[in-house]
């Protein structure tokens, strides 16, 4: 059994944090609210395909699509849109696809879908590895903006595209499906294969004298494949529940809103001023590690709520006596850190105005990094 370095790191970070804490009452109330909302919306892996920009077909080329999207799934916050209320500043980086203007994470996905519709095989590793077939200038054109703000970290995006393409061609016969095959249906093994073969996924830091693993993009890559294929085919994993929340800059903002994270006055002042936090700095690691640990505590709390609910149904049925064995077994809802994370992220995007200007306003932390 492979141990999960990310969960161990998150607990270590939590136990050594000075500016970020996790209020117990916040977890109890936050878990109840999130659990109720997930039940009401029947939040499960089928939601993944509902996003207009996510593929509806799930096959080998979808695996390549997900790999490229999660290879580039980092750093979309805008230097121009400092209020970040969710009502985009007109000048912030934006990509229009099928007459809809997308900003943030979805702008990158829209640019990839636009290129595919223009007949550019941008998700094919042998193609995006090659400067001859795909010059840097062409990558720049693919991620062109409707506005004067360019996509953040464009040169880094070009660099990670080349590195990933080259590794896939040289070591995995040009297909990410071959990396999945080597993982033998283990999500943790796949995270380990990705972070050890592709440096841009090796998202770790030095904290209080030891190395800590966060692995945000490697884990969301596995999670998106699992969600798209609904635990079948390329997406079948026997240990998927070992995957943790993805430590980005949007979910911590929502966790603070749910009172599941508490920040020191100094940290709040830094966030309010929009000060940059360097990737790997103690404050940034405390935010990311405690976000992972808070979702772990929420997950455990929700599993307790599910168990309690089942016991109540069981007791009621026994009292009434008429329900047969089948009726008594309530529909078991899958809850893991992935679905809790996806739910919180979707909630954060829908409620962004409230998160930035509501009762407990807090801005996202501003770190430029290829890791998230
Ligand atoms: N923790 C977590 N972080 C996530 C996602 C996603 C997109 N996943 C959805 C897509 C398909 C599935 O349905 C998922 O719901 C993007 N990000 C991160 O957010 C940031 C972008 O924020 P903004 O600038 O506001 O767009 C950036 O760090 C990006 O890496 C997630 O799900 N969880």
């Amino acid at each position: 059994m492979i141990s999960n370095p990310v969960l161990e790191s998150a607990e270590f970070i939590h136990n050594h944090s000075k500016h970020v804490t996790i209020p117990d009452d916040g977890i109890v109330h936050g878990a109840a609210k999130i659990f109720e909302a997930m039940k009401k919306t029947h939040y499960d892996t089928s939601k993944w395909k509902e996003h207009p920009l996510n593929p509806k077909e799930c096959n080998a080329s979808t695996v390549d699509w997900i790999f490229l999207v999660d290879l580039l799934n980092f750093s979309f916050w805008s230097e121009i849109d400092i209020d970040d209320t969710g009502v985009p500043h007109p000048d912030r980086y934006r990509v229009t696809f099928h007459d809809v203007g997308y900003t943030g994470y979805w702008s990158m996905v829209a640019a990839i879908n636009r290129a595919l519709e223009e007949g550019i095989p941008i998700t094919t590793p042998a193609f995006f590895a090659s400067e001859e077939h795909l010059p840097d200038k062409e990558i720049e054109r693919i991620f062109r903006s409707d506005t004067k703000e360019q996509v953040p970290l464009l040169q880094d995006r070009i660099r990670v595209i080349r590195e990933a393409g080259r590794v896939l061609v040289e070591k995995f016969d040009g297909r990410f499906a071959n990396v999945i095959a080597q993982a033998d249906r283990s999500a943790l093994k796949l995270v380990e294969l990705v972070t050890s073969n592709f440096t841009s996924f090796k998202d770790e830091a030095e904290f209080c004298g030891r190395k800590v693993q966060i692995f945000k993009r490697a884990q969301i890559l596995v999670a998106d494949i699992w969600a798209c294929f609904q635990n079948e085919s390329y997406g079948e994993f026997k240990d998927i529940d070992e995957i943790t929340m993805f430590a980005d800059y949007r979910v911590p903002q929502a966790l603070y809103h749910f009172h599941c994270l508490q920040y020191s006055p100094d940290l709040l002042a830094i966030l309010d001023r929009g000060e940059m936090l360097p990737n790997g700095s103690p404050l940034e690691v405390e935010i990311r590690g405690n976000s992972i640990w808070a979702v772990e505590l929420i997950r455990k709390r929700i599993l307790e709520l599910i168990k309690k609910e089942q016991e109540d149904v069981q007791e009621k049925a026994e009292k009434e006596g008429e329900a047969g064995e089948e009726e008594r077994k309530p529909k078991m809802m899958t809850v893991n850190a992935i679905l809790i994370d996806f739910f919180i992220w979707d909630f954060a995007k829908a409620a962004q105005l409230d998160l930035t200007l509501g009762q407990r306003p807090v801005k996202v932390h501003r770190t430029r990094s290829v890791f998230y």
Side-chain angles (χ1 to χ4, degrees):
M1 176 66 186
I2 314 172
S3 68
N4 186 342
V6 176
L7 217 43
E8 286 162 13
S9 297
E11 186 171 24
F12 175 82
I13 295 164
H14 173 63
N15 293 335
H16 293 77
S17 287
K18 298 190 187 69
H19 291 269
V20 182
T21 53
I22 300 176
D24 293 338
D25 59 331
I27 294 295
V28 170
H29 298 130
K33 263 188 275 184
I34 291 165
F35 179 45
E36 285 314 309
M38 287 178 82
K39 272 193 298 187
K40 209 165 29 238
T41 55
H42 302 292
Y43 204 88
D44 64 17
T45 51
S46 66
K47 287 275 177 297
W48 193 90
K49 286 191 192 66
E50 283 176 19
H51 288 274
L53 295 184
N54 281 351
K56 306 303 172 244
E57 288 284 306
C58 287
N59 51 43
S61 61
T62 321
V63 169
D64 286 334
W65 184 92
I66 293 172
F67 177 79
L68 184 67
V69 163
D70 283 323
L71 175 70
L72 297 173
N73 185 355
F74 57 83
S75 218
F76 302 104
W77 57 266
S78 160
E79 316 271 355
I80 292 179
D81 189 1
I82 46 177
D83 293 338
D84 190 39
T85 62
V87 179
H89 185 290
D91 293 340
R92 77 170 285 166
Y93 178 69
R94 187 180 67 240
V95 173
T96 295
F97 180 68
H98 291 180
D99 304 322
V100 177
Y102 293 94
T103 57
Y105 163 79
W106 293 112
S107 63
M108 175 270 295
V109 182
I112 289 173
N113 288 359
R114 176 176 63 183
L116 289 169
E117 272 199 0
E118 291 172 353
I120 302 166
I122 182 65
T123 55
T124 306
F127 180 75
F128 65 69
S130 156
E131 286 168 47
E132 189 203 334
H133 295 128
L134 179 68
D136 288 5
K137 274 277 166 249
E138 179 62 357
I139 297 178
E140 204 166 322
R141 199 189 67 79
I142 285 166
F143 291 101
R144 64 191 182 278
S145 174
D146 298 348
T147 69
K148 65 183 186 186
E149 188 177 41
Q150 195 184 51
V151 63
L153 300 181
L154 176 64
Q155 291 315 317
D156 291 282
R157 292 183 200 276
I158 293 172
R159 177 174 55 78
V160 305
I161 284 172
R162 299 297 185 211
E163 183 220 42
R166 208 163 293 136
V167 170
L168 282 173
V169 167
E170 287 164 10
K171 298 181 76 174
F172 298 100
D173 196 21
R175 302 179 65 235
F176 188 67
N178 292 333
V179 190
I180 297 174
Q182 280 193 26
D184 189 22
R185 292 180 307 116
S186 163
L188 288 180
K189 178 68 185 146
L190 187 50
V191 167
E192 199 271 325
L193 277 167
V194 169
T195 51
S196 54
N197 281 288
F198 303 90
T199 57
S200 76
F201 283 94
K202 200 173 177 61
D203 170 13
E204 52 185 20
E206 283 290 325
F207 181 79
C208 292
R210 68 157 262 190
K211 242 190 198 336
V212 287
Q213 285 74 37
I214 309 282
F215 291 172
K216 182 256 175 196
R217 286 201 292 108
Q219 292 199 99
I220 201 169
L221 169 58
V222 175
D224 279 336
I225 292 168
W226 171 72
C228 171
F229 289 87
Q230 297 195 272
N231 200 36
E232 302 201 342
S233 166
Y234 296 105
E236 186 191 356
F237 296 105
K238 48 190 187 293
D239 59 347
I240 194 66
D241 290 349
E242 293 293 325
I243 296 294
T244 74
M245 166 267 184
F246 319 114
D248 70 317
Y249 52 79
R250 188 60 67 195
V251 173
Q253 183 189 36
L255 289 170
Y256 181 87
H257 170 80
F258 283 121
H259 213 93
C260 293
L261 286 180
Q262 190 49 46
Y263 293 160
S264 70
D266 292 355
L267 176 52
L268 281 170
I270 287 172
L271 297 178
D272 203 41
R273 287 198 299 270
E275 224 173 279
M276 293 272 276
L277 285 182
N279 177 229
S281 61
L283 286 177
E284 185 238 18
V285 174
E286 285 197 24
I287 292 173
R288 301 183 78 202
N290 280 286
S291 296
I292 295 168
W293 196 244
V295 171
E296 180 59 14
L297 297 176
I298 289 169
R299 182 185 73 83
K300 285 187 179 137
R301 182 75 191 147
I302 289 177
L303 291 180
E304 283 167 17
L305 295 173
I306 290 175
K307 190 162 169 286
K308 173 94 181 53
E309 213 169 68
Q310 279 180 335
E311 284 159 3
D312 293 352
V313 165
Q314 197 97 15
E315 206 179 296
K316 186 165 167 288
E318 267 146 27
K319 223 176 269 157
E320 281 150 23
E322 76 273 6
E325 194 45 44
E326 256 331 287
E327 290 75 52
R328 280 218 288 272
K329 228 184 272 163
K331 302 284 159 287
M332 182 55 191
M333 184 181 163
T334 318
V335 173
N336 57 25
I338 295 172
L339 289 173
I340 295 170
D341 174 287
F342 280 173
F343 172 83
I344 296 177
W345 194 86
D346 286 345
F347 166 84
K349 293 309 290 173
Q352 197 165 328
L353 192 64
D354 196 27
L355 301 189
T356 36
L357 300 176
Q359 282 87 353
R360 274 173 64 83
V362 74
K363 290 186 183 290
V364 299
H365 67 278
R366 293 156 74 86
T367 297
R368 275 297 178 220
S369 156
V370 299
F371 293 127
Y372 64 103

